[in-house]
Amino acid sequence: YGVREAKGLEFKTVIVLDFFREIPSSLQKPWRELVLGRATQDFEHSYPLVATFLKLLYTGVTRCIEKLFFVETKSSTAGDASMRWLTKQVSGRASYATRNNINDVEAMSMTSDEFISEGINNAELAQSLDELGQAQLLLERSIWCFEQTDI
């Protein structure tokens, strides 16, 4: 789903892909100034389109029930500023987010219980197959799932 299509829906996990990079280049620096608390009094008048992107961001973020991921495939001024704000610790308060260099979004989006369940499902499916190559792949996947758990 795109953000607009997801309006009114909820999801256990939401991945917001390249949101900040997609902000037009003319709004990248103004977005940074807003996020870092450096916007001037006439900001809304000078950059009315930023409000549209803020509403889109709000819609995307509020679709999430449990886990929210921002994934940016390329660096951007708006994205870097937003990540700086989200990961900043203030007065002993924990940051809102952690920054990760991820190669496998699935590994970050499943709980230990979900990995165990998926591992069991893969092992059971492998046991029911006659074709050895497919069964081996499913068993390897099962082992990988079990290795992702924190128990």
Side-chain angles (χ1 to χ4, degrees):
Y1 290 95
V3 173
R4 287 180 180 90
E5 294 86 9
K7 191 171 183 173
L9 302 174
E10 289 185 330
F11 303 92
K12 184 176 175 182
T13 300
V14 170
I15 300 170
V16 180
L17 179 63
D18 285 333
F19 178 84
F20 301 109
R21 189 173 66 92
E22 296 293 324
I23 294 174
S25 59
S26 62
L27 298 177
Q28 289 282 325
K29 288 183 181 176
W31 183 279
R32 177 188 64 198
E33 299 306 304
L34 177 67
V35 169
L36 298 179
R38 300 187 297 220
T40 59
Q41 291 283 17
D42 65 339
F43 185 87
E44 284 184 62
H45 179 70
S46 299
Y47 305 103
L49 193 55
V50 169
T52 302
F53 285 95
L54 284 171
K55 289 174 186 175
L56 278 174
L57 181 61
Y58 172 82
T59 300
V61 168
T62 57
R63 302 306 92 208
C64 176
I65 297 171
E66 290 182 15
K67 294 181 182 180
L68 173 65
F69 297 95
F70 287 100
V71 177
E72 295 288 312
T73 58
K74 290 185 181 176
S75 182
S76 68
T77 300
D80 293 345
S82 298
M83 289 302 106
R84 192 174 329 135
W85 182 80
L86 286 168
T87 58
K88 185 177 181 179
Q89 293 182 349
V90 179
S91 303
R93 171 192 57 78
S95 64
Y96 294 113
T98 57
R99 187 177 206 136
N100 296 301
N101 184 7
I102 59 168
N103 293 318
D104 187 357
V105 174
E106 180 184 29
M108 294 179 64
S109 65
M110 291 173 64
T111 66
S112 287
D113 289 342
E114 290 169 326
F115 274 117
I116 290 169
S117 177
E118 187 67 19
I120 291 169
N121 290 340
N122 282 314
E124 288 174 345
L125 186 56
Q127 185 178 15
S128 69
L129 292 177
D130 291 331
E131 206 278 300
L132 186 59
Q134 282 186 314
Q136 183 176 356
L137 288 173
L138 284 169
L139 286 173
E140 288 172 2
R141 174 74 176 168
S142 182
I143 291 167
W144 181 84
C145 286
F146 294 135
E147 289 173 345
Q148 305 310 305
T149 66
D150 56 6
I151 54 174

